[in-house]
Amino acid sequence: MRAQLIRVATEAEAAREASRLIAAHINAKRDALVTLAAGFTPLAAYQELVAMQSRGEVDLTSVRYVGLDEWVGLGENDEGSCIFTMNGAFYQPAGIPKENIRVFDGTAKDICAEAQAINAYVEAIGGLSLAVLGIGMNGHVGFNEPGNPLEGQFSLTPLSAVTQAAGRKYFFGNAAPKTGATLTLNALMAAKHSILIATGAHKREITKAVLAGESSLPAAAFLNHPGAVYIFDAACCP
Ligand code: F6R
């Protein structure tokens, strides 16, 4: 294993570790292209980052951000969409200028063209420099589902039953969309640094499988990545 493994006692410590690493990356690389997961796991880390910025420890506005993924059919006004979550949890409190944020619009008329536009954007910049990822219940990262390799930098993808079921929590228990759009595993693996986070007892089984290196799991693909850091709390990695 070439990746680094950080195991901490609590979810709050996991957030502090993640925010420390993200801030260090942003401070060192002013031209970074960063992508941040919009699930529940890293939200506390984003809160830490905003607090760090208010103490003058990092300038979060100095880099560019590209949306990791989105539910097809949903846009920034839809509660539960990735951009709605990120606007509330990070982009707005951190004061990120609009021109520094590029996201897939799940409400676009031509979603294929929209996905291609994100693909071209990432290619034109020369790829990601930092990916902050939450590990899904089935070992997905972004919407890269196990056993469904995607091409290019950004792609549309059918979502697995597990992801749709887990996704209900973002929509007050209502059904989640069946299609997603995501930065591909190739694009994420090409980032110089990546941070993969899992916390909570409900992620214990999948964390075990990831650490066992189950080859079908996108989250396990980073185990041999020298720039990857996995952060687990004791509940998911006893
Ligand atoms: C969301 C995303 C997903 C989540 C993952 C974990 O933008 O990319 O891969 O990070 O499903 O979700 P939580 O953190 O809510 O358990």
Side-chain angles (χ1 to χ4, degrees), residues 37-42 68-69 82 134-136 140-142 169-170 203:
F40 288 165
T41 309
L68 171 60
D69 49 11
C82 295
I135 299 176
H140 75 196
V141 286
K169 68 182 176 187
Y170 307 121
K203 296 275 176 77

Side-chain angles (χ1 to χ4, degrees), residues 10-131:
T10 64
E11 212 177 317
E13 279 176 78
R16 275 197 294 278
E17 282 296 324
S19 59
R20 184 181 60 77
L21 293 170
I22 298 165
H25 185 96
I26 290 176
N27 282 335
K29 198 161 166 31
R30 299 276 149 189
D31 61 347
L33 179 62
V34 175
T35 193
L36 303 174
F40 288 165
T41 309
L43 296 182
Y46 304 153
Q47 217 177 341
E48 287 280 340
L49 280 169
V50 171
M52 287 174 82
Q53 177 167 256
S54 67
R55 297 194 298 264
E57 295 166 14
V58 64
D59 178 6
L60 301 167
T61 68
S62 63
V63 297
R64 282 174 288 185
Y65 299 87
V66 61
L68 171 60
D69 49 11
E70 190 54 275
W71 305 93
V72 167
L74 303 186
E76 66 177 346
N77 296 322
D78 297 305
E79 194 158 356
S81 72
C82 295
I83 184 58
F84 184 97
T85 301
M86 289 308 293
N87 276 339
F90 183 73
Y91 296 135
Q92 282 164 6
I96 310 299
K98 281 249 182 232
E99 62 269 23
N100 288 19
I101 307 167
R102 185 75 169 90
V103 296
F104 173 90
D105 177 4
T107 66
K109 272 211 182 82
D110 185 344
I111 53 166
C112 292
E114 181 68 6
Q116 278 161 16
I118 303 292
N119 198 77
Y121 174 79
V122 174
E123 262 173 13
I125 290 187
L128 295 167
S129 131
L130 173 66

Side-chain angles (χ1 to χ4, degrees), residues 119-208:
N119 198 77
Y121 174 79
V122 174
E123 262 173 13
I125 290 187
L128 295 167
S129 131
L130 173 66
V132 177
L133 307 169
I135 299 176
M137 291 298 287
N138 61 352
H140 75 196
V141 286
F143 280 146
N144 291 275
E145 302 284 39
N148 185 22
L150 302 172
E151 290 185 355
Q153 307 286 322
F154 194 90
S155 178
L156 299 170
T157 179
L159 296 171
S160 68
V162 176
T163 295
Q164 288 176 49
R168 282 178 173 267
K169 68 182 176 187
Y170 307 121
F171 305 108
F172 307 102
N174 296 318
K178 293 183 166 58
T179 308
T182 186
L183 285 166
T184 63
L185 189 58
N186 288 338
L188 299 173
M189 295 281 294
K192 193 155 191 258
H193 291 114
S194 45
I195 301 169
L196 295 96
I197 317 168
T199 54
H202 62 302
K203 296 275 176 77
R204 191 175 295 175
E205 284 307 309
I206 194 63
T207 300
K208 204 167 152 193

Side-chain angles (χ1 to χ4, degrees), residues 1-5 222-228:
M1 170 157 140
R2 297 167 76 199
Q4 193 191 340
L5 185 63
F222 296 80
L223 288 172
N224 277 319
H225 192 307

